[in-house]
Amino acid sequence: QVQLVESGGGLVQAGGSLRLSCAASRRIFSLYGMGWFRQAPGKEREFVAGISWNGRTINYADSVKGRFTISRDNAKNTGYLQMNSLKPEDTAIYYCAADRPYGLGRPPDFLSWGQGTQVTVSS
């Protein structure tokens, strides 16, 4: 397990962009797959995007394909989620997560979670 801290959330208008960051507490984060989830008020947590430990495998939810980009910089122990063309329905708390050594960043393998960062998209 590693400690994860999200940042970069905020309030933006529809069509705007945000970049979320996920900072890991341990260098071994570079060996873990990671992903992003979100949860809107009154709704279930949903998978948004995932990336394998080496960045070679990437998956997106259909709702964000073409708009969001997941990436990582293992030298900085940090993952990112670039969000473009934001829509009001993207409003949620966004969580980053890590799975396991040499993981692919795919559900249901996530074991470590950040505290979340709020993203609000106004119309």
Side-chain angles (χ1 to χ4, degrees):
Q1 189 177 28
V2 297
Q3 294 179 349
L4 305 172
V5 179
E6 303 93 335
S7 62
L11 173 64
V12 298
Q13 289 188 315
S17 298
L18 286 172
R19 188 177 74 161
L20 306 183
S21 298
C22 175
S25 63
R26 301 179 64 187
R27 297 179 68 178
I28 60 171
F29 172 76
S30 63
L31 299 180
Y32 289 69
M34 65 89 58
W36 291 91
F37 293 76
R38 66 187 182 186
Q39 187 167 20
K43 296 186 178 181
E44 297 291 326
R45 183 183 64 189
E46 65 174 331
F47 173 78
V48 175
I51 186 169
S52 62
W53 69 279
N54 58 7
R56 295 181 180 178
T57 301
I58 293 175
N59 291 283
Y60 296 100
D62 288 341
S63 59
V64 306
K65 286 181 179 177
R67 300 189 298 120
F68 291 11
T69 302
I70 188 171
S71 63
R72 65 190 300 159
D73 186 342
N74 283 345
K76 297 181 179 179
N77 298 328
T78 303
Y80 303 96
L81 184 68
Q82 178 68 46
M83 305 185 295
N84 298 327
S85 302
L86 283 162
K87 304 175 181 179
E89 51 263 44
D90 295 318
T91 295
I93 300 175
Y94 283 71
Y95 301 89
C96 65
D99 53 11
R100 62 190 67 194
Y102 308 106
L104 299 180
R106 300 171 62 181
D109 296 332
F110 296 99
L111 301 176
S112 301
W113 298 83
Q115 85 293 337
T117 185
Q118 178 70 48
V119 172
T120 303
V121 184
S122 65
S123 59

